[in-house]
């Protein structure tokens, strides 16, 4: 699926409600048609040298950069982001166009 990917890497604070934050993100992705796909996962290798402490990755796909901007400013995302930011120790976010070179 081509488009624009919104990739977020996070390290959660000790005691953060990670499961609830993930459930809320799934709900948000289902509620907003502007989000074309939502994927997430937790680091399985746990190698601090390479992960720099990030433990979770969230990837959302949009049709355009304008759709990403609309998502970032959407009231439902703004509300969710407050809860998400309260639970994270550090974050990295990158928005990039996809270039698919191989699909099996």
């Amino acid at each position: 699926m081509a488009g624009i990917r919104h990739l977020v890497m996070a390290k959660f604070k000790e005691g953060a409600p990670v499961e609830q934050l993930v459930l809320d993100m799934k709900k948000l992705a289902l509620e907003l048609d502007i989000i074309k796909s939502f994927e997430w996962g937790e680091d399985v290798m746990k190698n601090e040298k390479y992960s720099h402490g990030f433990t979770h990755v969230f990837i959302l796909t949009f049709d355009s950069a304008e759709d990403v901007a609309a998502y970032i400013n959407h009231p439902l995302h703004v509300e969710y982001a407050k809860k998400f930011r309260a639970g994270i120790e550090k974050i990295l976010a990158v928005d990039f166009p996809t270039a698919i070179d191989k699909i099996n």
Side-chain angles (χ1 to χ4, degrees):
M1 174 183 290
I4 302 292
R5 297 281 169 86
H6 175 68
L7 179 140
V8 176
M9 296 172 53
K11 177 181 181 180
F12 289 97
K13 294 177 183 175
E14 187 71 33
V18 177
E19 289 181 19
Q20 186 60 52
L21 290 168
V22 171
L23 287 174
D24 290 347
M25 184 65 227
K26 289 179 186 181
K27 181 180 174 186
L28 180 64
L30 290 171
E31 289 180 14
L32 299 178
D33 290 338
I34 200 167
I35 299 171
K36 300 305 174 190
S37 70
F38 170 60
E39 303 169 67
W40 73 279
E42 187 173 349
D43 182 24
V44 296
M45 301 304 287
K46 312 265 190 249
N47 186 331
E48 177 72 27
K49 179 179 176 183
Y50 297 113
S51 69
H52 300 278
F54 292 107
T55 57
H56 292 74
V57 176
F58 304 90
I59 305 171
L60 293 91
T61 303
F62 298 87
D63 284 335
S64 67
E66 293 79 15
D67 287 350
V68 175
Y71 163 73
I72 296 296
N73 294 306
H74 193 285
L76 291 176
H77 174 263
V78 171
E79 180 182 328
Y80 173 77
K82 290 176 189 175
K83 292 186 285 186
F84 187 80
R85 281 193 302 270
I88 57 172
E89 185 173 315
K90 67 179 182 173
I91 187 171
L92 174 68
V94 180
D95 301 299
F96 59 96
T98 57
I100 300 172
D101 292 326
K102 180 180 177 181
I103 296 178
N104 283 342

